[in-house]
Amino acid sequence: MSAGSPAPPADAGVDAAALEQAARFVEQEDGALHRLHGWRANLLEGVLALVAAFHLWAAVDIVGAPWLRSLHVAAMLALLFVTMPAAARWRDRVMPWDWAAAFAAIACIAWLLHDWDALADRATEPLTTDILVATTLTLLILEAVRRASGAVMPIVVGAFLAYAFVGPWLPAPWTHRGYDLARLAGHMAMTLEGIFGTPIDVCATLIVLFTIYGAVLARSGAGQFFIDFALALTGRSAAGPGRAVVIGSFLLGGPSGSGVATTVTLGSVAWPLLARAGYAREAAGGLLAAGGLGAILSPPVLGAAAFLIAEFLKVSYLDVIRMAVVPTLLYYLSLFAMVELDARRHGTRGTTRDPAAASGLRAAAAMLRTGGWHFLSLVAVVAFLVAGYSPMLSVVWATGLAVATSAIRRETRLGPRAIVAALADGTRGVLGVAATCAAAGLIVGVVTLTGLGLKFSGIVIDYAGGSLALTALLTGLLVWVVGLAVPVTASYIICAVVAAPALVQAGVSEPAAHMFIFYYAVLSEVSPPTALSPFAAAAITGGDAYRTTLQSWKYTLPAFVTPFLFVLAPHGTGLLLEGGAGQVITATGLAIVTVLVLAVAAQGWLRARLSGLERGTLALAGIALAASVVWTEIAGFALAGGAIAVHLWRTRV
């Protein structure tokens, strides 16, 4: 199939050890969990379900911002400490220090809430008790995010906090007046600018609700249906297994918004099919990881960062979905092109899970008749948004619809026990994100307090010499580097407050700047040392982890030129469905050509193997098209047309 480990025998499957190893990568993204049993597990599940029920109620009723955000932080921190162990060796029972941390978190929030108005009034001159509570809460958040996502995020937060203290001693242009512990504590914990700022607000009002919705879908069997539907739809063609991965990742990832979880879930089913089709281990893993990555880019969820985009831009969540439509389609177009070229290049063999089954549209139509209701709640989310409902109410009613429609078939019906389990899964799934959002709030607080965002913007623009293209390149590199160390959500928040102003000052619209940062933050999912999706895929296929990462880069490379198009192209915001119809058509047409040209260059194959000159020319053509200056576009079209013409003439029969 390709360089790397060969494909396994045709009857290969996914063994339990591989799935267990892949699950560890999911834990690295979402946090490890205690392995509790008996009444302890039942009690914890009940509390988790009650917290989920509270958030559903808060979406329908009106809860003041300080109370909702504070109670959210208290519940999430306390549950995280008794759910996620401090170290793997203590995961079989809740340790005394876990209980101590949980009660300390509740006590801190109780102090802040006992008289919030008076507390906010003295935020610039806090009492000694206030400082002690704020400092304790900050340390608890750092420990929580360490348990959820590793040691890097606390170090990053610590660096930002240190910056707030040492400002007067830094060289220009990084210098600032500096802030003592009292001022910093008051700003971070006694206002809605730090810990309880935008990130935790979005987590408490949106992310948790969509996580609950995804958990309900999973319990109703929707995930397995989406995979089976994709396999049925693609039939037995040579490119069928690859197409099934692409379609399945979109259907499965859209509701979940988790790249690693989508990769593992899809890989456990699709890897045997890819193996029988002739895919090598690394190539199959790269495709699975690339498909999983689409989960973070795909409406209606787009991962946790999408809700933050709406809040930072002060637009509706429906607007974010609208802006994501064309870039998402371009991403999947790129994957489909790569899969088709795979089939031609390597002679993949079509297959189905059941050779006697019907294939293609007929099989898909039959599945829709028996389980198509799984799609109803997905459609309902968007329908409610279009009808004018808030995102919170939209997902609450969609969740209710998912529960109601699950009763259509006896084997998928969600009874009381299953509903409690789904609610518990929803709360459990957001614990790590909540810790990340609280920690990111500390970073946002430092940036707003010190003016770091404007300082950094000036530095980037000076280095770029006023060049928009160089500003975009430097910003993309910054987001990519930050994404190597921290999760997508944290990467987006950090760069949204630090780097986005540089793009805006360079002349980029705010929506385009934030979408640019969002897409490059997503690259962290396929970039070492935190390439969790490719590593999880490699665990399932048995391939080499770093070769699998390189394969996932190959599959995702063309689509990640797209952000430069909506930043650099004169009509680039048309890709975000902004502007007139002519602007949208022009920008989309240019993007389609660019993505396809780069897909061919990345695969090194069209009708036959590309020569080195042909491949290099197509790669250069794609870069020229992405630069989006009139003369580079003309050069890009000329180079691409010339290279393809030469290739077709050279390979003529």
Side-chain angles (χ1 to χ4, degrees), residues 2-6 280-287 541-544 547-548 551-552:
S2 63
S5 304
R281 298 177 188 273
E282 286 81 11
L287 179 58
T541 65
D544 179 81
R547 289 180 180 175
T548 300
Q551 287 290 324
S552 67

Side-chain angles (χ1 to χ4, degrees), residues 464-526:
S467 167
L468 175 58
L470 193 52
T471 300
L473 181 61
L474 291 174
T475 303
L477 287 173
L478 170 71
V479 181
W480 181 68
V481 170
V482 172
L484 296 179
V486 299
V488 172
T489 303
S491 175
Y492 167 74
I493 294 171
I494 294 170
C495 296
V497 297
V498 173
L503 289 173
V504 174
Q505 285 189 32
V508 177
S509 70
E510 275 198 285
H514 280 265
M515 291 298 283
F516 179 92
I517 287 171
F518 169 61
Y519 274 80
Y520 272 90
V522 172
L523 273 174
S524 64
E525 287 284 334
V526 292

Side-chain angles (χ1 to χ4, degrees), residues 18-368:
L19 289 176
E20 184 177 352
Q21 185 179 357
R24 286 197 288 270
F25 289 106
V26 178
E27 286 186 348
Q28 287 184 41
E29 181 178 68
D30 300 332
L33 300 176
H34 279 299
R35 295 169 179 163
L36 303 181
H37 304 283
W39 67 269
R40 293 179 179 82
N42 293 333
L43 178 61
L44 178 59
E45 186 173 80
V47 175
L48 289 165
L50 285 174
V51 170
F54 164 75
H55 284 90
L56 292 170
W57 169 77
V60 177
D61 205 346
I62 297 176
V63 180
W67 278 86
L68 178 59
R69 299 180 195 185
S70 299
L71 290 174
H72 178 75
V73 170
M76 293 299 150
L77 288 182
L79 285 170
L80 187 147
F81 286 127
V82 299
T83 302
M84 297 183 182
R89 63 180 178 275
W90 295 313
R91 66 183 306 171
D92 291 324
R93 67 189 183 97
V94 182
M95 304 300 291
W97 49 79
D98 296 327
W99 290 113
F103 285 121
I106 294 172
C108 288
I109 297 301
W111 172 262
L112 296 175
L113 282 179
H114 86 281
D115 193 358
W116 176 267
D117 292 335
L119 208 72
D121 289 340
R122 63 174 187 263
T124 56
E125 296 181 357
L127 304 176
T128 301
T129 306
D130 300 332
I131 297 173
L132 178 62
V133 168
T135 303
T136 302
L137 184 59
T138 299
L139 293 175
L140 289 171
I141 289 170
L142 295 179
E143 167 59 13
V145 79
R146 184 198 67 81
R147 295 189 185 198
S149 60
V152 175
M153 186 65 181
I155 293 172
V156 172
V157 175
F160 274 88
L161 292 173
Y163 175 75
F165 287 112
V166 302
W169 299 281
L170 294 174
W174 300 102
T175 186
H176 62 84
R177 56 171 289 186
Y179 298 89
D180 59 18
L181 179 60
R183 182 70 180 89
L184 199 60
H187 184 75
M188 293 301 177
M190 299 166 64
T191 70
L192 299 181
E193 300 295 328
I195 294 170
F196 307 109
T198 296
I200 210 67
D201 176 40
V202 173
C203 189
T205 57
L206 281 172
I207 297 174
V208 64
L209 297 177
F210 274 88
T211 306
I212 293 168
Y213 168 60
V216 169
L217 281 183
R219 287 280 176 173
S220 70
Q224 187 60 54
F225 172 80
F226 293 150
I227 295 174
D228 291 339
F229 178 77
L231 295 173
L233 184 63
T234 53
R236 302 180 184 177
S237 67
R243 293 174 185 169
V245 169
V246 177
I247 296 174
S249 65
F250 172 74
L251 295 176
L252 188 63
S256 76
S258 171
V260 180
T262 300
T263 298
V264 172
T265 304
L266 188 61
S268 62
V269 176
W271 161 233
L273 304 179
L274 294 172
R276 288 199 293 270
Y279 275 80
R281 298 177 188 273
E282 286 81 11
L287 179 58
L288 289 168
L293 194 68
I296 315 176
L297 303 174
S298 303
V301 180
L302 295 101
F307 306 111
L308 292 158
I309 294 174
E311 187 64 28
F312 277 122
L313 293 178
K314 302 301 179 186
V315 299
S316 71
Y317 182 60
L318 187 61
D319 287 330
V320 178
I321 292 177
R322 172 182 54 80
M323 290 190 292
V325 167
V326 174
T328 298
L329 293 177
L330 289 171
Y331 181 80
Y332 284 103
L333 172 65
S334 170
L335 287 186
F336 271 119
M338 298 286 241
V339 165
E340 296 298 326
L341 293 171
D342 273 340
R344 295 185 180 188
R345 178 180 182 182
H346 303 296
T348 57
R349 302 180 294 275
T351 184
T352 60
R353 291 208 299 172
D354 181 1
S359 61
L361 295 177
R362 184 182 303 174
M367 290 197 65
L368 285 176

Side-chain angles (χ1 to χ4, degrees), residues 467-473 503 508 512 516 561-573 623 625-629 633:
S467 167
L468 175 58
L470 193 52
T471 300
L473 181 61
L503 289 173
V508 177
F516 179 92
V561 175
T562 303
F564 281 96
L565 288 169
F566 53 69
V567 165
L568 300 180
H571 303 293
T573 53
I623 295 171
L625 290 170
S628 300
V629 181
E633 290 179 5

Side-chain angles (χ1 to χ4, degrees), residues 347-641:
T348 57
R349 302 180 294 275
T351 184
T352 60
R353 291 208 299 172
D354 181 1
S359 61
L361 295 177
R362 184 182 303 174
M367 290 197 65
L368 285 176
R369 287 193 294 271
T370 59
W373 48 267
H374 282 296
F375 289 109
L376 291 178
S377 64
L378 291 175
V379 175
V381 172
V382 179
F384 281 124
L385 289 170
V386 171
Y389 286 76
S390 69
M392 290 80 75
L393 283 178
S394 297
V395 71
V396 168
W397 296 127
T399 302
L401 180 61
V403 173
T405 53
S406 72
I408 291 176
R409 297 183 65 181
R410 182 177 180 181
E411 58 269 28
T412 62
R413 183 180 300 127
L414 294 176
R417 184 70 183 83
I419 291 174
V420 169
L423 292 175
D425 289 345
T427 301
R428 193 180 287 111
V430 83
L431 294 178
V433 178
T436 299
C437 287
L442 293 168
I443 294 174
V444 174
V446 170
V447 172
T448 57
L449 196 62
T450 62
L452 178 60
L454 293 177
K455 291 183 176 66
F456 184 82
S457 299
I459 293 169
V460 169
I461 291 173
D462 288 344
Y463 272 116
S467 167
L468 175 58
L470 193 52
T471 300
L473 181 61
L474 291 174
T475 303
L477 287 173
L478 170 71
V479 181
W480 181 68
V481 170
V482 172
L484 296 179
V486 299
V488 172
T489 303
S491 175
Y492 167 74
I493 294 171
I494 294 170
C495 296
V497 297
V498 173
L503 289 173
V504 174
Q505 285 189 32
V508 177
S509 70
E510 275 198 285
H514 280 265
M515 291 298 283
F516 179 92
I517 287 171
F518 169 61
Y519 274 80
Y520 272 90
V522 172
L523 273 174
S524 64
E525 287 284 334
V526 292
S527 303
T530 56
L532 298 182
S533 290
F535 288 2
I540 289 175
T541 65
D544 179 81
Y546 284 95
R547 289 180 180 175
T548 300
T549 301
L550 292 176
Q551 287 290 324
S552 67
W553 270 348
K554 182 190 77 172
Y555 281 109
T556 57
L557 179 63
F560 280 102
V561 175
T562 303
F564 281 96
L565 288 169
F566 53 69
V567 165
L568 300 180
H571 303 293
T573 53
L575 293 177
L576 307 179
L577 296 183
E578 295 191 342
Q583 180 175 340
V584 172
I585 293 171
T586 301
T588 303
L590 176 63
I592 289 173
V593 174
T594 303
V595 164
L596 293 178
V597 166
L598 287 172
V600 174
Q603 284 286 46
W605 193 274
L606 187 54
R607 189 158 67 183
R609 183 180 299 277
L610 296 174
S611 68
L613 180 60
E614 291 165 352
R615 192 174 188 179
T617 302
L618 284 172
L620 183 62
I623 295 171
L625 290 170
S628 300
V629 181
V630 174
W631 71 267
T632 65
E633 290 179 5
I634 295 172
F637 279 111
L639 288 171

